[in-house]
Amino acid sequence: KPGEQRHPKEPSSLQCMHLAVVACGDRLEEPLIMLKSAVLFSNRRLCFHIFAEDSLRPEFEKKLKEWPSSYTKKFESNFYPITFSVGNAQEWKKLFKPCAAQRLFLPVILKDVDSLLYVDTDVLFLRPIDDIWHLLREFNSTQLAAMAPEHEIPKIGWYSRFARHPFYGTAGLNSGVMLMNLTRIRSTQFKNSLIPSGLTWEEMLYPLYQKYKNYITWGDQDLLNIIFYFNPECLYVFPCQWNYRPDHCMYGSNCRGAEQEGVSILHGNRGVYHDDKQPTFKALYEVIRDFPFEDNLFQSLYYPLQSKFLDTVHTLCGRIPQVFLKQIEKTMKKVYENRVIVYLGANHRY
């Protein structure tokens, strides 16, 4: 139209939301359920970047192809071997959990990707990825990554009590959900404790590990805490509902954002999806795992979840079901409204 401003077409690398996960050892079911939760609720197209050991890849690809076409058309999947561009690969692979250090090398490997959301395998999306993806727009000119605090209360947090290395802020960071502007990471010179001048991300990783390896407990997460301790201006901190873990309710509810808005991303660390220590987390995992893709979301996901939650009220996390249910109910209503169109005939009486 005359006078209307024309916008250039979005580059192909930006047309989808990029999601990365690393799968090693016996970790096959968890990342598949994580990806399923992402596809169930997302609006925009997704690009999966899956870093997997050779032994896992065939079964991984097979399982994804078994999903119905109405969902497979919503994403594309890219597989990569486990690789480390600097230092000793065996050292990196054994750091904390199998292959977890791979996330440190994503800016180096995915050179054509501008921005990316990395998540651990034990993460579940309870609302569209689109919503956390929009946080990239809130970065200021120096911010290049976003994470949530490790804890809301420093006096009972792990880093504030036990860490023997520098860490970000008063309670440290949890890296299980990490939003990254890879373009900025690749072009930034980072302040560090190694040399007075700055180092690139890739130059910094292995020397930093060598310096602190005898003091770190949580592997790559500790290295990220050290990096952002020296470069706090580079970090955007998002609230705890975007990385909600058992720590936010097992000692009493301490995530105000989740109390107000509901959990947006659930992070079932401590293996809680597979034991009976936190049945609320396990219930969410099992319901999403068992949901038949093309069934009604309320009948086959939400109502079974409500029923399972009745058996968790004896736990501290189970006493606050609204925290877990609020966002997922809101999300499912939107999905339902988008997919269902009701036609009323001219003679329809109501």
Side-chain angles (χ1 to χ4, degrees):
K1 295 179 181 180
E4 187 175 70
Q5 192 174 13
R6 295 180 64 86
H7 296 280
K9 187 178 179 181
E10 193 176 36
S12 59
S13 64
L14 301 178
Q15 287 177 350
C16 65
M17 300 175 293
H18 295 268
L19 177 65
V21 67
V22 180
C24 284
D26 58 355
R27 295 289 181 98
L28 179 61
E29 183 184 85
E30 274 191 0
L32 281 167
I33 306 309
M34 180 276 292
L35 295 176
K36 182 179 182 180
S37 71
V39 171
L40 279 177
F41 302 131
S42 67
N43 297 314
R44 282 179 60 185
R45 184 171 174 78
L46 292 162
C47 290
F48 295 153
H49 300 276
I50 302 164
F51 291 79
E53 288 182 310
D54 294 341
S55 58
L56 286 181
R57 179 170 173 170
E59 187 66 13
F60 214 127
E61 290 181 304
K62 177 188 172 188
K63 293 290 186 184
L64 288 178
K65 288 176 181 176
E66 290 174 355
W67 291 1
S69 59
S70 57
Y71 286 92
T72 56
K73 69 183 182 182
K74 294 178 65 176
F75 68 88
E76 63 180 66
S77 54
N78 307 283
F79 284 84
Y80 309 84
I82 304 296
T83 54
F84 305 99
S85 60
V86 294
N88 185 307
Q90 289 306 310
E91 278 188 282
W92 285 121
K93 194 169 183 179
K94 294 176 182 177
L95 184 63
F96 189 45
K97 291 183 179 178
C99 307
Q102 182 70 75
R103 91 183 82 184
L104 298 173
F105 296 87
L106 298 180
V108 181
I109 297 168
L110 302 175
K111 294 183 183 297
D112 296 326
V113 176
D114 175 71
S115 296
L116 179 84
L117 177 64
Y118 165 86
V119 295
D120 285 347
T121 60
D122 51 8
V123 157
L124 293 172
F125 294 95
L126 305 187
R127 65 189 289 182
I129 288 185
D130 309 60
D131 296 338
I132 190 170
W133 193 258
H134 289 158
L135 295 181
L136 286 164
R137 300 175 184 173
E138 297 187 16
F139 284 17
N140 66 25
S141 60
T142 63
Q143 290 167 339
L144 47 75
M147 286 181 276
E150 170 67 17
H151 213 286
E152 298 302 297
I153 305 173
K155 68 180 181 181
I156 59 174
W158 192 92
Y159 282 103
S160 47
R161 291 186 295 162
F162 305 118
R164 296 185 294 155
H165 58 78
F167 58 88
Y168 180 89
T170 58
L173 300 164
N174 184 281
S175 60
V177 179
M178 185 176 180
L179 190 62
M180 293 180 273
N181 183 318
L182 300 184
T183 301
R184 287 188 180 182
I185 291 176
R186 286 187 287 263
S187 63
T188 297
Q189 293 284 318
F190 291 88
K191 298 187 291 292
N192 59 86
S193 60
L194 305 168
I195 61 173
S197 60
L199 290 170
T200 67
W201 185 267
E202 188 175 20
E203 291 171 341
M204 177 174 54
L205 290 178
Y206 194 61
L208 203 64
Y209 165 69
Q210 286 293 314
K211 178 172 181 177
Y212 290 104
K213 65 180 181 181
N214 294 326
Y215 305 99
I216 59 178
T217 302
W218 307 113
D220 52 306
Q221 177 173 290
D222 289 349
L223 290 178
L224 289 167
N225 267 280
I226 295 166
I227 290 170
F228 289 107
Y229 168 84
F230 290 105
N231 300 271
E233 72 284 356
C234 293
L235 189 74
Y236 177 98
V237 179
F238 51 66
C240 48
Q241 64 263 33
W242 293 104
N243 185 353
Y244 191 90
R245 292 167 288 113
D247 303 71
H248 291 119
C249 56
M250 62 191 289
Y251 308 115
S253 182
N254 60 63
C255 177
R256 186 171 298 177
E259 292 170 2
Q260 295 171 345
E261 299 180 17
V263 175
S264 296
I265 296 179
L266 192 76
H267 184 181
N269 65 338
R270 302 175 182 265
V272 293
Y273 295 149
H274 311 292
D275 60 32
D276 296 318
K277 293 179 180 177
Q278 297 298 335
T280 313
F281 283 75
K282 186 178 183 181
L284 268 158
Y285 179 81
E286 290 180 343
V287 165
I288 293 175
R289 180 194 66 193
D290 298 338
F291 172 69
F293 268 104
E294 296 183 317
D295 274 18
N296 180 282
L297 280 166
F298 280 99
Q299 289 180 352
S300 300
L301 196 154
Y302 188 70
Y303 297 143
L305 186 58
Q306 283 184 313
S307 178
K308 279 178 174 283
F309 273 12
L310 292 175
D311 298 326
T312 72
V313 293
H314 62 285
T315 67
L316 284 172
C317 294
R319 292 177 187 175
I320 49 172
Q322 70 282 359
V323 167
F324 297 89
L325 293 173
K326 186 181 295 185
Q327 194 58 238
I328 197 169
E329 180 183 14
K330 182 179 175 181
T331 298
M332 287 193 295
K333 282 180 178 178
K334 285 185 179 179
V335 172
Y336 189 75
E337 289 167 1
N338 290 339
R339 292 180 185 173
V340 178
I341 301 175
V342 178
Y343 293 92
L344 295 177
N347 297 322
H348 187 81
R349 299 179 63 186
Y350 56 92

